[in-house]
Amino acid sequence: MAISHPRPTSRTDSLLSSEGMHSPMRTILIPVDFSEASINALRYGISLASYHSSRVLLMHVYKLDMAGGYSLPYIRDEIVEKTEEKVLGQLKELTANVNPTILSRVSIEYFVGHGHTVEEVINVSRVFHVDHIIIGMRGEHHMLRKILGGTALSLVSQSPKPILLIPENHFYRPIKQIAYATNFEEEDPRIIDQLLKLAKPLAAKVHCIHIRERNEKQDLFKQKILRKAFEGDVPVEDIAFSTIAYNKVVEGLNHFVQEREVDVLAMLTHKRSIFNRLFHKSQTRHMAIESQVPLWAFSLHSPNG
């Protein structure tokens, strides 16, 4: 993997580290394949990073055969070098179009690698202690199976880092409402605590929403317990808890997102989670997310959430 000159901005490491020392988004990785979806995710990610004074890693992964299938090592190395120089220039062109004020509040580094995209992204995220990965979602109609097919689904399934998926046609706007879809899991307090830290510099509110498919009184009891975990520690204006009865979870989430004008929907990912139920291929044939808002997927094993 080739690494470019680390930074086109004038912001210093000391300033970045002092402001971002306790930020839950110190380092953000944004893989770019130059599709409209990934370019939109890049713009969204840099705008979000500016609120946290983050270090942003922009990365492109290409396959070796794109650089020529030459067997002689010195010819191959020359083609690879030229390919990586070209890609590096293209990445820098993308950031040249970003608002200078926003750029002044982030530190940007560029990475060009070759091989398997998912493996390379996960490897870089571990080596450089990435806190979050931001990627674009394709899909004209946003069918769940299409959105999370290929690279996106593989990353969500394999990455230990939280992943923020940005719909292709969703442009950045200040995040003021974050919804966490809870099924009253043991890990919920940890994820909610992480979301509260992410929300603080944005002056955003975190909504913990549970969709009841049946009229179960036990759900209300679990919600009360979850709420008590944050009583006294979190201002009431920063967090809210809601339980809504709906025949289908996805419809209930869509309704809540639209009614409350939610900017980001967050979920925990593991075998028992709502995310797994909604995005498993066998259950998504007739489901669609109509709200088209970014989806924040938190891994069960992630140290960040």
Side-chain angles (χ1 to χ4, degrees), residues 139-184:
E140 181 179 353
H141 300 293
H142 294 276
M143 291 298 292
L144 305 189
R145 182 173 52 179
K146 292 181 179 179
I147 291 177
L148 293 184
T151 301
L153 180 57
S154 295
L155 275 174
V156 170
S157 301
Q158 299 178 41
S159 174
K161 309 293 184 179
I163 296 179
L164 181 58
L165 301 110
I166 312 299
E168 185 173 7
N169 297 318
H170 183 93
F171 302 106
Y172 181 80
R173 66 186 185 194
I175 296 175
K176 296 302 177 184
Q177 308 292 334
I178 300 173
Y180 175 60
T182 173
N183 204 25
F184 304 121

Side-chain angles (χ1 to χ4, degrees), residues 56-69:
V56 177
L57 311 180
L58 299 184
M59 179 180 186
H60 176 75
V61 181
Y62 66 94
K63 296 186 183 298
L64 274 175
D65 57 1
M66 292 176 62

Side-chain angles (χ1 to χ4, degrees), residues 205-207 227 230-241:
K205 184 168 187 173
V206 176
H207 298 267
R227 182 190 289 114
F230 294 91
E231 279 185 0
D233 296 325
V234 181
V236 66
E237 63 269 18
D238 293 344
I239 191 168
F241 297 85

Side-chain angles (χ1 to χ4, degrees), residues 13 26 54 87 108-109 123 151 155 236 239 243 252 265 271 288:
D13 286 332
R26 292 178 300 252
S54 304
V87 172
I108 298 183
E109 299 174 31
N123 180 53
T151 301
L155 275 174
V236 66
I239 191 168
T243 297
L265 176 62
K271 291 182 179 180

Side-chain angles (χ1 to χ4, degrees), residues 106-214:
V106 300
S107 166
I108 298 183
E109 299 174 31
Y110 304 87
F111 295 84
V112 181
H114 57 75
H116 190 275
T117 300
V118 173
E119 291 178 0
E120 286 294 305
V121 169
I122 292 176
N123 180 53
V124 167
S125 73
R126 286 171 173 162
V127 171
F128 292 91
H129 305 289
V130 166
D131 297 298
H132 293 264
I133 300 172
I134 299 179
I135 61 177
M137 297 191 297
R138 294 190 187 94
E140 181 179 353
H141 300 293
H142 294 276
M143 291 298 292
L144 305 189
R145 182 173 52 179
K146 292 181 179 179
I147 291 177
L148 293 184
T151 301
L153 180 57
S154 295
L155 275 174
V156 170
S157 301
Q158 299 178 41
S159 174
K161 309 293 184 179
I163 296 179
L164 181 58
L165 301 110
I166 312 299
E168 185 173 7
N169 297 318
H170 183 93
F171 302 106
Y172 181 80
R173 66 186 185 194
I175 296 175
K176 296 302 177 184
Q177 308 292 334
I178 300 173
Y180 175 60
T182 173
N183 204 25
F184 304 121
E185 303 284 354
E186 183 180 349
E187 301 84 4
D188 279 353
R190 181 168 57 89
I191 304 299
I192 294 170
D193 183 65
Q194 176 71 2
L195 288 171
L196 287 167
K197 291 176 181 177
L198 290 164
K200 188 172 182 180
L202 305 172
K205 184 168 187 173
V206 176
H207 298 267
C208 301
I209 171 69
H210 173 68
I211 307 298
R212 290 190 295 163
E213 296 179 271
R214 293 174 298 276

